[in-house]
Amino acid sequence: MSFTAEVKDELSRLEDRDKSAQLAQLSALMRVCGTLSFRGSGRYSIRIATETGAVARTVIKMTHKLFDLDTALTVRRSVLHKTRNYLIEMPEQDELADALLELSILAPGHGLAAGVPTRLLGSRASRCAFVRGAFMAGGFIADPRGDFHLEIAVTGEEFAQGLVAVMGTLGVAARLNRRRGAFAIYVKSFEDIVTLLVAMGAGRMARVVRVAQAKKSVKNDVNRRVNAEMANQARSTGAAVAQLELIDRAEKTVGLASLPPALRQFCQARRENPELSLVALGAELDPPASKSAVYHRVLRLQQLVEEAEGAQDPSATTQNASQSTGER
């Protein structure tokens, strides 16, 4: 089962006690995934198509509970996609027109209503239920182990903008994109997705998203630490190579035996431990030396070598001290 299907399954098990919330949810379900047909004055029929069994069950259950309308369910299987498709048909019947008016799908004397049913959305519970119905009908949420992304596909710009505004009253910053003649309302922020899931009633799946975010945070922190350590190691390696080259030059020009004891000790320790940083190298000395003390020994060795090389060849170019020290 996909993550989207899991969320919709949890939402399908909720039952609002408030009738306005029930009406708001059913209104959104019909508006987003339903097709309204009419024949003559006051003769309507509706076809609702969905690939989610939980959505089909919810539509039928709420339609029977609220209006006791006749419904017919057809289940078809797609050979190409190997998925089921549920088609709910509400044929012409005397009660359907009144039901559509109560659901604010039809506006009295004006035909099909364009925007969201503000009459049904006076309470927070009804707004949560309306967004829940819209998501169940046309929503998608990515597996949080990948990207954080939630969207609801709807038709009608006025309805889409109204749905964005309703989500805003629930503390969710949603955005709107036009897509192939329809509109995609999307949310990409982890905080907004969790807020929306909780508002719709998918508390269990909201916890799953939180756990995924926590794992991502730990993984990202580990990656940052590893990358920083690798970068430090690369710098230390480059500095050690430069210091070994400096020691070779000192051996040729000055002679290691003629160096002060502290510098001889450094040269010997570096040759024996080419992989160590200055901090670790200082700990190997006797007595141990701080990173700053070891660094100053490198600088002193650099100065002696350059003076000796300059005495042998006055035209020799003085090398940059940072090439030999590298690590600070």
Side-chain angles (χ1 to χ4, degrees):
M1 182 183 293
S2 69
F3 193 78
T4 299
E6 290 187 72
V7 173
K8 292 183 178 181
D9 181 70
E10 181 178 5
L11 295 177
S12 72
R13 302 178 188 278
L14 299 175
E15 290 192 19
D16 282 303
R17 296 182 179 181
D18 180 62
K19 185 178 180 181
S20 293
Q22 296 173 20
L23 291 170
Q25 182 173 348
L26 183 57
S27 176
L29 283 163
M30 289 187 174
R31 281 290 301 271
V32 176
C33 64
T35 302
L36 177 67
S37 301
F38 65 92
R39 182 174 62 84
S41 176
R43 307 303 298 177
Y44 301 96
S45 63
I46 293 181
R47 292 162 60 93
I48 298 173
T50 178
E51 294 182 355
T52 308
V55 175
R57 291 194 303 270
T58 300
V59 170
I60 293 174
K61 179 178 68 176
M62 298 188 74
T63 299
H64 290 171
K65 179 179 179 179
L66 292 170
F67 302 107
D68 195 25
L69 296 174
D70 293 332
T71 59
L73 174 65
T74 303
V75 181
R76 300 174 293 186
R77 180 176 292 275
S78 170
V79 178
L80 178 61
H81 300 290
K82 297 182 180 180
T83 58
R84 289 183 177 181
N85 183 276
Y86 301 87
L87 177 63
I88 304 167
E89 296 180 279
M90 300 178 193
E92 294 181 8
Q93 47 196 299
D94 294 336
E95 299 84 359
L96 184 54
D98 290 337
L100 294 173
L101 285 171
E102 191 168 355
L103 291 169
S104 292
I105 293 175
L106 290 179
H110 298 285
L112 185 66
V116 298
T118 54
R119 181 178 62 84
L120 299 178
L121 306 181
S123 67
R124 178 180 174 83
S126 62
R127 293 193 295 275
C128 290
F130 186 77
V131 176
R132 182 194 312 140
F135 177 81
M136 291 181 70
F140 163 82
I141 180 170
D143 190 318
R145 290 173 296 182
D147 293 332
F148 291 118
H149 182 85
L150 181 150
E151 69 174 49
I152 303 174
V154 301
T155 56
E157 185 172 4
E158 186 176 347
F159 180 83
Q161 291 176 343
L163 183 54
V164 169
V166 172
M167 293 168 70
T169 67
L170 303 179
V172 177
R175 296 188 177 185
L176 183 62
N177 266 352
R178 182 183 294 272
R179 183 181 298 169
R180 297 178 183 176
F183 295 88
I185 299 164
Y186 68 94
V187 180
K188 298 184 74 68
S189 161
F190 156 72
E191 291 83 2
D192 283 334
I193 288 175
V194 169
T195 298
L196 184 59
L197 288 174
V198 172
M200 291 191 299
R204 180 174 64 85
M205 300 311 294
R207 288 192 292 273
V208 173
V209 175
R210 287 194 182 101
V211 170
Q213 166 64 6
K215 290 182 178 179
K216 281 185 180 181
S217 179
V218 171
K219 182 179 179 180
N220 291 339
D221 185 58
V222 170
N223 287 339
R224 282 193 295 269
R225 291 175 182 270
V226 169
N227 291 338
E229 182 62 29
M230 291 178 64
N232 288 335
Q233 187 63 37
R235 286 193 293 269
S236 295
T237 300
V241 169
Q243 291 160 19
L244 289 170
E245 292 175 353
L246 177 63
I247 293 170
D248 290 341
R249 290 163 58 198
E251 189 171 33
K252 293 177 182 178
T253 57
V254 181
L256 299 186
S258 64
L259 292 174
L263 296 188
R264 286 202 308 272
Q265 185 187 38
F266 163 75
C267 294
Q268 180 180 355
R270 172 51 79 196
R271 281 183 165 177
E272 292 175 353
N273 303 278
E275 77 285 356
L276 296 184
S277 66
L278 288 183
V279 174
L281 189 65
E284 295 294 320
L285 300 179
D286 185 20
S290 66
K291 177 181 178 181
S292 177
V294 177
Y295 178 67
H296 281 88
R297 294 186 193 186
V298 177
L299 292 179
R300 177 58 180 155
L301 182 63
Q302 172 83 16
Q303 182 182 11
L304 292 176
V305 170
E306 290 179 350
E307 289 175 353
E309 289 177 342
Q312 293 176 2
D313 183 4
S315 63
T317 302
T318 301
Q319 296 184 14
N320 192 309
S322 64
Q323 293 178 340
S324 297
T325 57
E327 181 186 357
R328 292 180 181 269

